[in-house]
Amino acid sequence: MAHSGGLVTVEIPTLTVGLDSNIVTYLAEAMATGYDPEDDPDANLAQQRIAALRVFLHVGGLYVPPTAVLEIAGIRDAAKRQYHEMVQSALLIELTDLDKSAIEHRTAAFLSLHPDEADCRILAESEAAGLSHLLTNDGRFADRLNEATEMTILTPTALWAQLDIPTGHRPRWEPAPANPLAQQEWWRW
C-alpha cells in the first residue's frame, strides 16, 4: 500500500466482471446528472447503485453479456433506453463471438435449477467468455446458481465489500472535471 498526496493506492485484483441488465441500470442511474443517493426512495437500491459505480471506477472494464444487451434494447421508454445504450456502448465492454453451442448447453443445465431463461443465458454467456464474476441484485438467481458455476454471482455491494479496498483509495478512473459527478462526494471512497 502506498500513499500519494493523501490518497491510498493498493493493487486491485484482476477481475473480469459481467453485469446483468439491472446492474447496468443501477450504474446508469448512479451516473445520471443530479443523482443523489440521499434522495433515492429505495435505500437498498441506492447502496447497489453506489457500489456499482465504485466497482466500475476501481475495478475497471465491466462486461455486458448479449442477453443483457437485448434486455436493454427492449426498454420501452425511448429516452431511458437511449441513455442506457449510451452508457453501455461508451463505458462497458460487450461480449461477442461466444461459443453458441456451449451457451445453449449451459443454459439448459441452469434451467433445471432456476426458471428464468434470460438469467440462465446471461450466466452461460458470462461463463463462455471466461468471466470471474457476475453482478446481479437477484438473490434467488445467485442462490440457485452459485453452486452450479465456477463464476461468483453476487450483488455490487457484496463484491465491493469483498474487495476490501481501504478508504481513501484512488480509483482507476475518475470523472472528468466537466462531469457533474466530479463535483459530488458520495461516490468517493
mmCIF file of all heavy atoms in Angstrom, residues 132-167:
data_model
loop_
_atom_site.group_PDB
_atom_site.id
_atom_site.type_symbol
_atom_site.label_atom_id
_atom_site.label_comp_id
_atom_site.label_asym_id
_atom_site.label_seq_id
_atom_site.Cartn_x
_atom_site.Cartn_y
_atom_site.Cartn_z
ATOM 1 N N SER A 132 -14.962 -13.877 -14.347
ATOM 2 C CA SER A 132 -14.794 -14.387 -12.982
ATOM 3 C C SER A 132 -16.018 -14.115 -12.109
ATOM 4 O O SER A 132 -16.290 -14.875 -11.180
ATOM 5 C CB SER A 132 -13.551 -13.770 -12.329
ATOM 6 O OG SER A 132 -13.677 -12.361 -12.230
ATOM 7 N N HIS A 133 -16.743 -13.038 -12.382
ATOM 8 C CA HIS A 133 -17.854 -12.611 -11.546
ATOM 9 C C HIS A 133 -19.027 -12.148 -12.415
ATOM 10 O O HIS A 133 -18.816 -11.640 -13.521
ATOM 11 C CB HIS A 133 -17.454 -11.434 -10.646
ATOM 12 C CG HIS A 133 -16.438 -11.783 -9.622
ATOM 13 N ND1 HIS A 133 -15.114 -11.989 -9.929
ATOM 14 C CD2 HIS A 133 -16.554 -11.978 -8.289
ATOM 15 C CE1 HIS A 133 -14.451 -12.287 -8.822
ATOM 16 N NE2 HIS A 133 -15.301 -12.291 -7.813
ATOM 17 N N LEU A 134 -20.218 -12.289 -11.856
ATOM 18 C CA LEU A 134 -21.426 -11.752 -12.482
ATOM 19 C C LEU A 134 -22.189 -11.007 -11.402
ATOM 20 O O LEU A 134 -22.486 -11.562 -10.346
ATOM 21 C CB LEU A 134 -22.293 -12.861 -13.075
ATOM 22 C CG LEU A 134 -23.607 -12.393 -13.724
ATOM 23 C CD1 LEU A 134 -23.342 -11.481 -14.922
ATOM 24 C CD2 LEU A 134 -24.460 -13.585 -14.126
ATOM 25 N N LEU A 135 -22.485 -9.725 -11.669
ATOM 26 C CA LEU A 135 -23.231 -8.927 -10.706
ATOM 27 C C LEU A 135 -24.713 -8.923 -11.040
ATOM 28 O O LEU A 135 -25.104 -8.722 -12.192
ATOM 29 C CB LEU A 135 -22.709 -7.481 -10.689
ATOM 30 C CG LEU A 135 -21.260 -7.293 -10.269
ATOM 31 C CD1 LEU A 135 -20.914 -5.810 -10.205
ATOM 32 C CD2 LEU A 135 -20.975 -7.975 -8.946
ATOM 33 N N THR A 136 -25.511 -9.147 -10.015
ATOM 34 C CA THR A 136 -26.966 -9.128 -10.105
ATOM 35 C C THR A 136 -27.489 -8.697 -8.744
ATOM 36 O O THR A 136 -26.785 -8.799 -7.739
ATOM 37 C CB THR A 136 -27.541 -10.505 -10.496
ATOM 38 O OG1 THR A 136 -28.955 -10.406 -10.675
ATOM 39 C CG2 THR A 136 -27.236 -11.563 -9.447
ATOM 40 N N ASN A 137 -28.720 -8.248 -8.710
ATOM 41 C CA ASN A 137 -29.359 -7.971 -7.422
ATOM 42 C C ASN A 137 -30.467 -8.985 -7.166
ATOM 43 O O ASN A 137 -31.275 -8.816 -6.278
ATOM 44 C CB ASN A 137 -29.910 -6.538 -7.377
ATOM 45 C CG ASN A 137 -30.168 -6.078 -5.958
ATOM 46 O OD1 ASN A 137 -29.453 -6.435 -5.035
ATOM 47 N ND2 ASN A 137 -31.209 -5.289 -5.772
ATOM 48 N N ASP A 138 -30.477 -10.051 -7.962
ATOM 49 C CA ASP A 138 -31.488 -11.105 -7.857
ATOM 50 C C ASP A 138 -30.949 -12.211 -6.947
ATOM 51 O O ASP A 138 -30.158 -13.056 -7.376
ATOM 52 C CB ASP A 138 -31.801 -11.646 -9.251
ATOM 53 C CG ASP A 138 -32.909 -12.675 -9.272
ATOM 54 O OD1 ASP A 138 -33.174 -13.306 -8.226
ATOM 55 O OD2 ASP A 138 -33.502 -12.870 -10.349
ATOM 56 N N GLY A 139 -31.368 -12.185 -5.699
ATOM 57 C CA GLY A 139 -30.875 -13.147 -4.720
ATOM 58 C C GLY A 139 -31.217 -14.587 -5.058
ATOM 59 O O GLY A 139 -30.411 -15.486 -4.835
ATOM 60 N N ARG A 140 -32.400 -14.823 -5.610
ATOM 61 C CA ARG A 140 -32.771 -16.199 -5.973
ATOM 62 C C ARG A 140 -31.875 -16.718 -7.089
ATOM 63 O O ARG A 140 -31.456 -17.878 -7.072
ATOM 64 C CB ARG A 140 -34.240 -16.264 -6.387
ATOM 65 C CG ARG A 140 -35.190 -16.115 -5.202
ATOM 66 C CD ARG A 140 -36.597 -16.273 -5.657
ATOM 67 N NE ARG A 140 -36.883 -15.269 -6.685
ATOM 68 C CZ ARG A 140 -37.928 -14.478 -6.689
ATOM 69 N NH1 ARG A 140 -38.825 -14.564 -5.758
ATOM 70 N NH2 ARG A 140 -38.095 -13.598 -7.647
ATOM 71 N N PHE A 141 -31.582 -15.886 -8.058
ATOM 72 C CA PHE A 141 -30.677 -16.242 -9.148
ATOM 73 C C PHE A 141 -29.323 -16.668 -8.564
ATOM 74 O O PHE A 141 -28.801 -17.755 -8.867
ATOM 75 C CB PHE A 141 -30.563 -15.046 -10.089
ATOM 76 C CG PHE A 141 -29.554 -15.130 -11.201
ATOM 77 C CD1 PHE A 141 -29.206 -16.321 -11.803
ATOM 78 C CD2 PHE A 141 -28.976 -13.972 -11.693
ATOM 79 C CE1 PHE A 141 -28.288 -16.372 -12.845
ATOM 80 C CE2 PHE A 141 -28.066 -14.003 -12.727
ATOM 81 C CZ PHE A 141 -27.722 -15.205 -13.302
ATOM 82 N N ALA A 142 -28.757 -15.825 -7.710
ATOM 83 C CA ALA A 142 -27.454 -16.133 -7.114
ATOM 84 C C ALA A 142 -27.524 -17.388 -6.244
ATOM 85 O O ALA A 142 -26.660 -18.270 -6.344
ATOM 86 C CB ALA A 142 -26.960 -14.940 -6.305
ATOM 87 N N ASP A 143 -28.541 -17.489 -5.400
ATOM 88 C CA ASP A 143 -28.655 -18.642 -4.503
ATOM 89 C C ASP A 143 -28.779 -19.958 -5.269
ATOM 90 O O ASP A 143 -28.179 -20.966 -4.889
ATOM 91 C CB ASP A 143 -29.865 -18.495 -3.572
ATOM 92 C CG ASP A 143 -29.675 -17.400 -2.538
ATOM 93 O OD1 ASP A 143 -28.529 -16.950 -2.324
ATOM 94 O OD2 ASP A 143 -30.696 -16.982 -1.946
ATOM 95 N N ARG A 144 -29.557 -19.939 -6.327
ATOM 96 C CA ARG A 144 -29.812 -21.174 -7.076
ATOM 97 C C ARG A 144 -28.639 -21.597 -7.956
ATOM 98 O O ARG A 144 -28.458 -22.784 -8.218
ATOM 99 C CB ARG A 144 -31.057 -21.009 -7.942
ATOM 100 C CG ARG A 144 -32.331 -20.913 -7.141
ATOM 101 C CD ARG A 144 -33.505 -20.613 -8.036
ATOM 102 N NE ARG A 144 -34.744 -20.531 -7.261
ATOM 103 C CZ ARG A 144 -35.820 -19.901 -7.661
ATOM 104 N NH1 ARG A 144 -35.839 -19.287 -8.842
ATOM 105 N NH2 ARG A 144 -36.899 -19.871 -6.912
ATOM 106 N N LEU A 145 -27.864 -20.628 -8.453
ATOM 107 C CA LEU A 145 -26.870 -20.976 -9.470
ATOM 108 C C LEU A 145 -25.411 -20.810 -9.048
ATOM 109 O O LEU A 145 -24.518 -21.256 -9.765
ATOM 110 C CB LEU A 145 -27.143 -20.181 -10.751
ATOM 111 C CG LEU A 145 -28.459 -20.555 -11.435
ATOM 112 C CD1 LEU A 145 -28.730 -19.662 -12.629
ATOM 113 C CD2 LEU A 145 -28.457 -22.008 -11.850
ATOM 114 N N ASN A 146 -25.129 -20.213 -7.913
ATOM 115 C CA ASN A 146 -23.731 -20.055 -7.494
ATOM 116 C C ASN A 146 -23.003 -21.384 -7.383
ATOM 117 O O ASN A 146 -21.829 -21.483 -7.736
ATOM 118 C CB ASN A 146 -23.633 -19.285 -6.172
ATOM 119 C CG ASN A 146 -23.023 -17.917 -6.361
ATOM 120 O OD1 ASN A 146 -22.138 -17.722 -7.185
ATOM 121 N ND2 ASN A 146 -23.513 -16.960 -5.605
ATOM 122 N N GLU A 147 -23.678 -22.410 -6.900
ATOM 123 C CA GLU A 147 -23.036 -23.725 -6.754
ATOM 124 C C GLU A 147 -22.892 -24.459 -8.087
ATOM 125 O O GLU A 147 -22.145 -25.433 -8.169
ATOM 126 C CB GLU A 147 -23.827 -24.586 -5.765
ATOM 127 C CG GLU A 147 -23.847 -24.026 -4.351
ATOM 128 C CD GLU A 147 -22.461 -23.932 -3.735
ATOM 129 O OE1 GLU A 147 -21.652 -24.860 -3.916
ATOM 130 O OE2 GLU A 147 -22.181 -22.913 -3.069
ATOM 131 N N ALA A 148 -23.583 -23.992 -9.120
ATOM 132 C CA ALA A 148 -23.570 -24.677 -10.411
ATOM 133 C C ALA A 148 -22.527 -24.110 -11.373
ATOM 134 O O ALA A 148 -22.418 -24.564 -12.510
ATOM 135 C CB ALA A 148 -24.954 -24.591 -11.050
ATOM 136 N N THR A 149 -21.770 -23.135 -10.932
ATOM 137 C CA THR A 149 -20.803 -22.475 -11.806
ATOM 138 C C THR A 149 -19.520 -22.180 -11.042
ATOM 139 O O THR A 149 -19.527 -22.077 -9.816
ATOM 140 C CB THR A 149 -21.395 -21.164 -12.380
ATOM 141 O OG1 THR A 149 -20.442 -20.559 -13.255
ATOM 142 C CG2 THR A 149 -21.765 -20.178 -11.290
ATOM 143 N N GLU A 150 -18.436 -22.043 -11.777
ATOM 144 C CA GLU A 150 -17.173 -21.636 -11.164
ATOM 145 C C GLU A 150 -17.111 -20.123 -10.995
ATOM 146 O O GLU A 150 -16.253 -19.613 -10.280
ATOM 147 C CB GLU A 150 -15.993 -22.132 -11.993
ATOM 148 C CG GLU A 150 -15.847 -23.644 -11.917
ATOM 149 C CD GLU A 150 -14.609 -24.152 -12.614
ATOM 150 O OE1 GLU A 150 -13.664 -23.366 -12.852
ATOM 151 O OE2 GLU A 150 -14.586 -25.352 -12.922
ATOM 152 N N MET A 151 -18.008 -19.421 -11.658
ATOM 153 C CA MET A 151 -18.088 -17.968 -11.505
ATOM 154 C C MET A 151 -18.664 -17.645 -10.132
ATOM 155 O O MET A 151 -19.308 -18.482 -9.503
ATOM 156 C CB MET A 151 -19.014 -17.361 -12.571
ATOM 157 C CG MET A 151 -18.483 -17.451 -13.968
ATOM 158 S SD MET A 151 -19.588 -16.594 -15.095
ATOM 159 C CE MET A 151 -19.504 -14.941 -14.446
ATOM 160 N N THR A 152 -18.493 -16.424 -9.700
ATOM 161 C CA THR A 152 -19.104 -15.948 -8.474
ATOM 162 C C THR A 152 -20.218 -14.981 -8.859
ATOM 163 O O THR A 152 -19.972 -14.001 -9.563
ATOM 164 C CB THR A 152 -18.072 -15.231 -7.584
ATOM 165 O OG1 THR A 152 -16.991 -16.139 -7.324
ATOM 166 C CG2 THR A 152 -18.681 -14.776 -6.283
ATOM 167 N N ILE A 153 -21.435 -15.285 -8.398
ATOM 168 C CA ILE A 153 -22.592 -14.436 -8.670
ATOM 169 C C ILE A 153 -22.906 -13.691 -7.378
ATOM 170 O O ILE A 153 -23.126 -14.315 -6.338
ATOM 171 C CB ILE A 153 -23.812 -15.277 -9.096
ATOM 172 C CG1 ILE A 153 -23.458 -16.209 -10.252
ATOM 173 C CG2 ILE A 153 -24.986 -14.369 -9.456
ATOM 174 C CD1 ILE A 153 -24.519 -17.276 -10.525
ATOM 175 N N LEU A 154 -22.920 -12.365 -7.433
ATOM 176 C CA LEU A 154 -23.176 -11.586 -6.236
ATOM 177 C C LEU A 154 -23.662 -10.188 -6.567
ATOM 178 O O LEU A 154 -23.673 -9.788 -7.729
ATOM 179 C CB LEU A 154 -21.941 -11.548 -5.338
ATOM 180 C CG LEU A 154 -20.695 -10.799 -5.766
ATOM 181 C CD1 LEU A 154 -19.668 -10.841 -4.644
ATOM 182 C CD2 LEU A 154 -20.073 -11.376 -7.000
ATOM 183 N N THR A 155 -24.062 -9.466 -5.547
ATOM 184 C CA THR A 155 -24.530 -8.093 -5.717
ATOM 185 C C THR A 155 -23.328 -7.154 -5.805
ATOM 186 O O THR A 155 -22.225 -7.495 -5.360
ATOM 187 C CB THR A 155 -25.399 -7.656 -4.524
ATOM 188 O OG1 THR A 155 -24.589 -7.664 -3.344
ATOM 189 C CG2 THR A 155 -26.629 -8.538 -4.365
ATOM 190 N N PRO A 156 -23.546 -5.945 -6.328
ATOM 191 C CA PRO A 156 -22.457 -4.967 -6.323
ATOM 192 C C PRO A 156 -21.944 -4.675 -4.911
ATOM 193 O O PRO A 156 -20.733 -4.571 -4.707
ATOM 194 C CB PRO A 156 -23.091 -3.721 -6.961
ATOM 195 C CG PRO A 156 -24.157 -4.271 -7.853
ATOM 196 C CD PRO A 156 -24.707 -5.457 -7.109
ATOM 197 N N THR A 157 -22.853 -4.567 -3.927
ATOM 198 C CA THR A 157 -22.398 -4.282 -2.562
ATOM 199 C C THR A 157 -21.563 -5.427 -2.007
ATOM 200 O O THR A 157 -20.584 -5.190 -1.298
ATOM 201 C CB THR A 157 -23.573 -3.978 -1.608
ATOM 202 O OG1 THR A 157 -24.510 -5.051 -1.658
ATOM 203 C CG2 THR A 157 -24.251 -2.669 -1.976
ATOM 204 N N ALA A 158 -21.915 -6.659 -2.329
ATOM 205 C CA ALA A 158 -21.136 -7.807 -1.843
ATOM 206 C C ALA A 158 -19.749 -7.827 -2.483
ATOM 207 O O ALA A 158 -18.752 -8.092 -1.796
ATOM 208 C CB ALA A 158 -21.879 -9.112 -2.113
ATOM 209 N N LEU A 159 -19.668 -7.548 -3.784
ATOM 210 C CA LEU A 159 -18.352 -7.507 -4.432
ATOM 211 C C LEU A 159 -17.520 -6.370 -3.849
ATOM 212 O O LEU A 159 -16.332 -6.554 -3.556
ATOM 213 C CB LEU A 159 -18.479 -7.361 -5.952
ATOM 214 C CG LEU A 159 -17.143 -7.242 -6.693
ATOM 215 C CD1 LEU A 159 -16.249 -8.452 -6.443
ATOM 216 C CD2 LEU A 159 -17.374 -7.042 -8.190
ATOM 217 N N TRP A 160 -18.134 -5.211 -3.674
ATOM 218 C CA TRP A 160 -17.403 -4.073 -3.119
ATOM 219 C C TRP A 160 -16.843 -4.427 -1.740
ATOM 220 O O TRP A 160 -15.684 -4.140 -1.433
ATOM 221 C CB TRP A 160 -18.297 -2.834 -3.060
ATOM 222 C CG TRP A 160 -17.561 -1.639 -2.552
ATOM 223 C CD1 TRP A 160 -17.735 -1.022 -1.348
ATOM 224 C CD2 TRP A 160 -16.503 -0.938 -3.209
ATOM 225 N NE1 TRP A 160 -16.847 0.017 -1.215
ATOM 226 C CE2 TRP A 160 -16.083 0.096 -2.352
ATOM 227 C CE3 TRP A 160 -15.873 -1.080 -4.437
ATOM 228 C CZ2 TRP A 160 -15.063 0.980 -2.677
ATOM 229 C CZ3 TRP A 160 -14.854 -0.199 -4.765
ATOM 230 C CH2 TRP A 160 -14.456 0.818 -3.895
ATOM 231 N N ALA A 161 -17.643 -5.085 -0.921
ATOM 232 C CA ALA A 161 -17.181 -5.492 0.416
ATOM 233 C C ALA A 161 -16.043 -6.505 0.312
ATOM 234 O O ALA A 161 -15.059 -6.424 1.058
ATOM 235 C CB ALA A 161 -18.346 -6.069 1.220
ATOM 236 N N GLN A 162 -16.152 -7.462 -0.619
ATOM 237 C CA GLN A 162 -15.093 -8.472 -0.786
ATOM 238 C C GLN A 162 -13.782 -7.859 -1.234
ATOM 239 O O GLN A 162 -12.709 -8.346 -0.879
ATOM 240 C CB GLN A 162 -15.521 -9.540 -1.795
ATOM 241 C CG GLN A 162 -16.466 -10.555 -1.243
ATOM 242 C CD GLN A 162 -16.781 -11.636 -2.261
ATOM 243 O OE1 GLN A 162 -16.194 -11.720 -3.340
ATOM 244 N NE2 GLN A 162 -17.729 -12.487 -1.907
ATOM 245 N N LEU A 163 -13.860 -6.798 -2.020
ATOM 246 C CA LEU A 163 -12.627 -6.161 -2.488
ATOM 247 C C LEU A 163 -11.824 -5.570 -1.331
ATOM 248 O O LEU A 163 -10.604 -5.455 -1.427
ATOM 249 C CB LEU A 163 -12.952 -5.075 -3.522
ATOM 250 C CG LEU A 163 -13.461 -5.582 -4.862
ATOM 251 C CD1 LEU A 163 -13.940 -4.411 -5.723
ATOM 252 C CD2 LEU A 163 -12.403 -6.392 -5.589
ATOM 253 N N ASP A 164 -12.515 -5.187 -0.267
ATOM 254 C CA ASP A 164 -11.868 -4.684 0.937
ATOM 255 C C ASP A 164 -10.861 -3.574 0.626
ATOM 256 O O ASP A 164 -9.725 -3.577 1.107
ATOM 257 C CB ASP A 164 -11.185 -5.830 1.696
ATOM 258 C CG ASP A 164 -10.851 -5.452 3.132
ATOM 259 O OD1 ASP A 164 -11.538 -4.567 3.690
ATOM 260 O OD2 ASP A 164 -9.889 -6.023 3.669
ATOM 261 N N ILE A 165 -11.310 -2.645 -0.177
ATOM 262 C CA ILE A 165 -10.457 -1.524 -0.586
ATOM 263 C C ILE A 165 -10.384 -0.523 0.561
ATOM 264 O O ILE A 165 -11.420 -0.123 1.101
ATOM 265 C CB ILE A 165 -11.005 -0.867 -1.869
ATOM 266 C CG1 ILE A 165 -10.928 -1.875 -3.025
ATOM 267 C CG2 ILE A 165 -10.257 0.420 -2.195
ATOM 268 C CD1 ILE A 165 -11.577 -1.418 -4.299
ATOM 269 N N PRO A 166 -9.189 -0.123 0.949
ATOM 270 C CA PRO A 166 -9.083 0.830 2.057
ATOM 271 C C PRO A 166 -9.683 2.192 1.692
ATOM 272 O O PRO A 166 -9.559 2.646 0.547
ATOM 273 C CB PRO A 166 -7.587 0.953 2.310
ATOM 274 C CG PRO A 166 -6.892 0.157 1.278
ATOM 275 C CD PRO A 166 -7.900 -0.525 0.423
ATOM 276 N N THR A 167 -10.308 2.808 2.676
ATOM 277 C CA THR A 167 -10.848 4.154 2.479
ATOM 278 C C THR A 167 -9.721 5.074 2.016
ATOM 279 O O THR A 167 -8.611 5.011 2.523
ATOM 280 C CB THR A 167 -11.462 4.675 3.787
ATOM 281 O OG1 THR A 167 -12.451 3.753 4.223
ATOM 282 C CG2 THR A 167 -12.086 6.048 3.603
#
